[in-house]
Amino acid sequence: MNGSPRISSNACRVCPVRGESPVCRIAEADLDAFGRLLHRFEYQPRQVVFYEGHPCLGIYVLCAGKAKLTTSSSRGHRRIVRLVGAGELIECNGFSEGAVHEVTCETLEPSRLCLINRQGYLALLEKYPSFAVELLQLVSRRVMTTTFGRERIPFCKTTERLAALLIHLSRRFGHRSSEGLALGIRLTREELGELIGAAPETVIRLISRFKRERLVGITGEEILLLKPERLSKIASPLPEDYPLRSGTAGLDAPPPR
């Protein structure tokens, strides 16, 4: 991990995700004050940013790259509860004094994040009441989708969950290639299983089935969706923004309809 003690206001001005982030849409006039609240850190792929149960030092925002948030049971079983993309708030409890991390954050690719001083940021928010309301709505959406996922997950077949996950990842991170719709994120079979509550062997078997049916293709380590419309039909019993597991990927999506 490489860190810088402070970020210049110009770095915030040229940040490509500042206008999209629900945390960083600060007016130009206050960017100097905002920059004084930030510490920036660079991470290599598969580096841990923080651990579950450790003190939360402030508000974490992912500026570039991708990361996964995981939690572990007392028996050591791990599951991915959420994927984080550039511009996203990593945890909501960073706004609370004395909070601890509810998850472990690990990067999936070269990433950059900012750690924002909690007290200074909350003081700055007093100038932007509409901005504070937007953040409150974000927290509310996350709670709603988490609850919704817990209610729906027992009634969904593994095939439906995997198809929904692939469609979701392609919409969130994907890009068109000459061969199909690339997911835009590289996850191991174990990580795919942790997202949908399935064993890696089950994921391997289902992906092999999707390959035989020409629904997906594999290029190197990346999965390509060859017939996303057919995958959508397999996942059709699930809402379009189905969160896949309690608290998992897509928590910044609109609430279930």
Side-chain angles (χ1 to χ4, degrees), residues 92-123:
C92 290
N93 59 343
F95 294 103
S96 302
E97 188 72 34
V100 298
H101 294 297
E102 297 180 345
V103 294
T104 294
C105 178
E106 180 183 339
T107 58
L108 296 172
E109 61 187 41
S111 300
R112 181 175 69 252
L113 67 83
C114 284
L115 175 60
I116 308 174
N117 177 275
R118 177 189 302 108
Q119 291 182 334
Y121 184 75
L122 293 178

Side-chain angles (χ1 to χ4, degrees), residues 1-3 40-44 47-49 113:
M1 174 187 68
N2 296 315
R40 182 171 60 187
F41 300 93
E42 305 278 346
Y43 289 85
Q44 296 302 310
Q47 275 193 291
V48 173
V49 178
L113 67 83

Side-chain angles (χ1 to χ4, degrees), residues 26-27 29-31 33 120-132:
I26 300 295
D30 291 308
L31 277 183
Y121 184 75
L122 293 178
L124 192 59
L125 279 186
E126 293 180 2
K127 297 182 62 175
Y128 303 96
S130 61
F131 191 39

Side-chain angles (χ1 to χ4, degrees), residues 37 40 44-45 58 112 127 129 157 185 225 227 229 236:
L37 303 176
R40 182 171 60 187
Q44 296 302 310
R112 181 175 69 252
K127 297 182 62 175
K157 296 179 181 179
I185 183 171
L225 305 191
K227 298 178 181 178
E229 67 286 347
S236 61

Side-chain angles (χ1 to χ4, degrees), residues 9-31:
S9 58
N10 187 59
C12 288
R13 286 187 175 90
V14 299
C15 177
V17 298
R18 183 171 72 89
E20 303 171 10
S21 172
V23 179
C24 303
R25 285 197 290 269
I26 300 295
E28 287 282 330
D30 291 308
L31 277 183

